[in-house]
Amino acid sequence: MRYANPLQFAEDAASADLISEGRLQLGISRGSPEQVLDGWRYFGFEPEKGDTDADMARKQTQIALHVLEGNRFAEPNPNPMFPNPPGLLRIEPYSEGLRQRMWWGAGSNGTAQWAAKLGMNLMSSTLKDDESGEPFHVQQRKQIEVFREEWAKHDHGFEPECPCLAQSLRLRAI
């Protein structure tokens, strides 16, 4: 998300979801460590003073999530080409339900907690940071637990999905 305009991203995602008849499962993250020095510059972005590129990506994600919820934010043109509904406008097209099918690729326990707080599903993977020196599967389990504990503190109106846990359980059964 550090390279994405959050409003354009939201419109593109809503379009893809409508074309796929509501089947889009959209996984996002701040992006892996950059191969290019300050690569975000080439896309016209720059972190605010004191922010990292990861902070910038999370802020852009929050904007995208806000508009994907259908929140209205844009002042309409007083002389539009075609009539607008009264009040502020939202992104178009709008795809109801897409917001619940957003997945955050969390590399740490902190970002898993952040995703739960915002009501995004969790994607955990082998890109998980080594935060404790424990075996990977123990750290990943703890990341999922942190996510679930944080989720339980909020009423997002739906239950989260976490395929990483289902996959882990299947692998252990084999």
Side-chain angles (χ1 to χ4, degrees):
M1 286 299 293
R2 68 174 166 246
Y3 295 158
N5 175 305
L7 301 177
Q8 182 66 53
F9 168 83
E11 283 189 344
D12 290 348
S15 295
D17 193 50
L18 291 170
I19 290 168
S20 70
E21 298 178 347
R23 293 189 308 260
L24 184 65
Q25 297 285 330
L26 190 54
I28 60 175
S29 74
R30 71 168 183 95
S32 61
E34 295 199 66
Q35 297 296 99
V36 176
L37 183 61
D38 298 334
W40 38 263
R41 288 182 297 146
Y42 299 101
F43 291 82
F45 298 105
E46 185 171 343
E48 293 178 15
K49 186 174 179 153
D51 281 355
T52 66
D53 63 332
D55 296 329
M56 178 178 64
R58 284 188 284 273
K59 286 178 181 179
Q60 289 177 182
T61 298
Q62 289 178 281
I63 293 167
L65 293 174
H66 180 74
V67 299
L68 282 167
E69 291 170 353
N71 290 305
R72 297 174 183 278
F73 66 96
E75 197 68 45
N77 184 337
N79 299 308
M81 189 160 54
F82 49 87
N84 283 318
L88 296 177
L89 303 176
R90 65 182 180 197
I91 62 160
E92 292 295 342
Y94 169 68
S95 184
E96 188 173 346
L98 174 58
R99 175 64 181 80
Q100 293 181 1
R101 291 178 271 114
M102 300 291 296
W103 300 75
W104 182 257
S108 69
N109 291 359
T111 55
Q113 186 175 26
W114 177 81
K117 186 176 183 178
L118 294 179
M120 286 186 283
N121 297 296
L122 173 66
M123 284 190 303
S124 184
S125 73
T126 57
L127 298 178
K128 165 85 176 67
D129 294 342
D130 183 353
E131 297 179 274
S132 67
E134 296 172 290
F136 172 74
H137 70 282
V138 172
Q139 291 192 54
Q140 190 176 46
R141 186 195 77 235
K142 288 182 178 180
Q143 183 187 43
I144 293 166
E145 289 170 356
V146 164
F147 174 83
R148 287 184 171 166
E149 287 169 13
E150 184 65 33
W151 188 280
K153 297 176 185 176
H154 308 276
D155 180 17
H156 295 302
F158 67 102
E159 288 301 313
E161 294 188 44
C162 182
C164 51
L165 180 60
Q167 182 67 25
S168 295
L169 293 174
R170 277 196 298 275
L171 289 175
R172 288 182 198 188
I174 293 177

